[in-house]
Amino acid sequence: MKYLKLKSIVFGLLIFNSCAKSDQFEANYEPIPLQVEKPSNFPDIEYTIENNPVTDAGFELGKKLFYEGKLSANNAIACAFCHEQAFAFTHHGHTLSHGVNDGIGFRNAQPMQNLAYQREFMWDGASTHLDLQPIIPISSELEMGETLSNIVAKLAAMPQYQKDFKRAFNGQGVTSENMLKALSQFMVMMVSANSKYDKFVRNEDNVVLTQIEQDGLNSFTTNCASCHATDLFTDQTYRNTGLPVNPQLNDKGRYNLGQNPADLYKFKVPSLRNVEKSYPYMHDGRFTTLEAVLDFYDSNIQGNSGTVDNALLRADGSYGINLTTYQKESIIAFLKTLTDYEFLEDERFAEF
Amino acid sequence: MKQLKYTLVLLLCAIISSCSSDNDATTENLTGQKGSIALKFDNGVGDQNFAFNTTYQKSNNESFQLTTDLKYIISNVRFKDQNGNEFAVPEGNNMFIIDQDDANNAGEIFLNLDNINAANYTEITFGIGVDQDKYTQGATGQGNFLTLAQDKGMFWSWASGYKFVRLDGIYTDATTTNGALAVHMGSVGTSLDNYKEVTLTLPNTVLVRTNKSPEIHIKADILKIFDGETSVNFADGYNQVHTDATETPIIAVNMQNMFTVHHVHND
């Protein structure tokens, strides 16, 4: 009781001190903390949660921004335009993404899932923090074509957003920092860890793999898991897989970051979660099916002028991973156990 | 226990709000006093004032002029007093862009730093660019600086990084006349760290008081970017400096050595 009294005195003082600004900020709003899911088969979280603890208001604001066209120059291209939930947040069926003014990007939109567990972002690792990643598509002339200051001005002009930002950030207004933090709060909550495979490895719900899925898992472990490592199915490194260079794009991959010749044609090892739904494949979306991807690794690596990864070197000095027809079939059967329908249909992440 | 804590907080509030006026200094007690410091940045080239569209000579019979941009980022400003205590400008207001376009007619660019603890300062330290912490902490603590940097062309969306320095102009060497000169460089994410700090001793003590706003006049010799610790030649690729792992650290060190404190005004 006494404690309550003191608390109300302190509160009263606060009000007195701040009453010059008679903003009707929802003083009685208590943020509800949200926890980022930590599946037992996952490695540690990489995202700096302590700087940006997730709350319901921050998450909801982030979701609203994710689906907000005003983040683009023509007010029509939201993040979700190229990241559709039903396809593991990829741009369904598009090899390369398109954006404002009919711009065509250079790379295939990556799935968005388990981002709290990633150290770097984009195919070439151009972003080293999740908070800063959205600036890339936002500023790209080929994607959203907008500046941070225009976005801040557009959002600040909308009373509802002013309220939303104050709720999410303890009374603070619309700033680029808060906008990026809200987007991160939405993104770090997007954890995909409830596929058939997950339930199998965690011994949940008596889930067992079929024979062909189990055979596929075994072949995968032997032939693919050194790069597609951990239950994130990526070791988060950059590798040159010997994909022939598309001369029209001439995309040099990670080399573009620091002009280091050792980085020529290197791209990030992608996660394989929900890979059944995230077609087309590779950094430029050149393969439509998983069969085409496995055929490439088996027999179509032609090399390029960069250094092809040693993991792909056969005993005879040629590049490739020997896979029989059954191994390919079974690996694909296994990969389909990574489809997480709970995630793909999770209403928390859906626009409507 | 909790009640006690609250009572103490209240008591402290009462003390702080009442004690500001009755402190006539016979022995000067600076505790709790705040003042401000103005940093006056003054870009020059050798012994000349800097101006756009003016040709300057450098080593190796090369010359250059800047036509549109002379900008650099200053951050993590802090001061050391005569007793060795350090005071850092509060986080959240400690990243700045020195932009020649913001200069007054005398070519001076002012940074006004408020809420500085009253003390007798003898040393200033500041960073050129943005430290690695900021890269690993994401948007935290950057407020609208990202926005400002993007508006001033000091930010690559690609590689999500700040340009620590931006020089745009033309150069002339033995084989090229009026070729494009561009130094747009920073760190490259967390893989290449080009953040540098500068510590300068102040020629006389800077007295910060509630009623005193001293000014520190800092000169930056732009020539040293090319003719500094290491002399570099446009002919060898330094006409275009962006993300190269050899060139950018050399320029970063050269910039680290281009600043001097010319004088201090206490008033």
Side-chain angles (χ1 to χ4, degrees), chain A residues 254-270:
Chain A
R254 192 165 168 77
Y255 174 86
N256 291 339
L257 255 64
Q259 277 79 46
N260 180 352
D263 287 337
L264 208 53
Y265 306 120
K266 282 187 181 170
F267 294 90
K268 189 171 182 186
V269 175

Side-chain angles (χ1 to χ4, degrees), chain B residues 196-227:
Chain B
K196 296 281 180 239
E197 291 199 334
V198 181
T199 297
L200 302 168
T201 304
L202 301 169
N204 48 312
T205 305
V206 171
L207 307 175
V208 175
R209 302 291 184 272
T210 330
N211 56 353
K212 283 190 170 131
S213 306
E215 221 177 81
I216 303 176
H217 185 146
I218 299 173
K219 294 196 102 171
D221 183 357
I222 300 308
L223 188 61
K224 289 206 170 143
I225 296 178
F226 304 113
D227 278 336

Side-chain angles (χ1 to χ4, degrees), chain A residues 107 122-126 237-243 245 251-257 260-270 283 304-310:
Chain A
R107 292 177 185 159
M122 311 300 285
W123 278 107
D124 53 8
T237 61
Y238 304 86
R239 295 172 187 263
N240 176 0
T241 55
L243 269 181
V245 176
D251 188 342
K252 295 181 172 137
R254 192 165 168 77
Y255 174 86
N256 291 339
L257 255 64
N260 180 352
D263 287 337
L264 208 53
Y265 306 120
K266 282 187 181 170
F267 294 90
K268 189 171 182 186
V269 175
H283 68 268
N304 47 42
S305 53
T307 310
V308 178
D309 204 273
N310 276 338

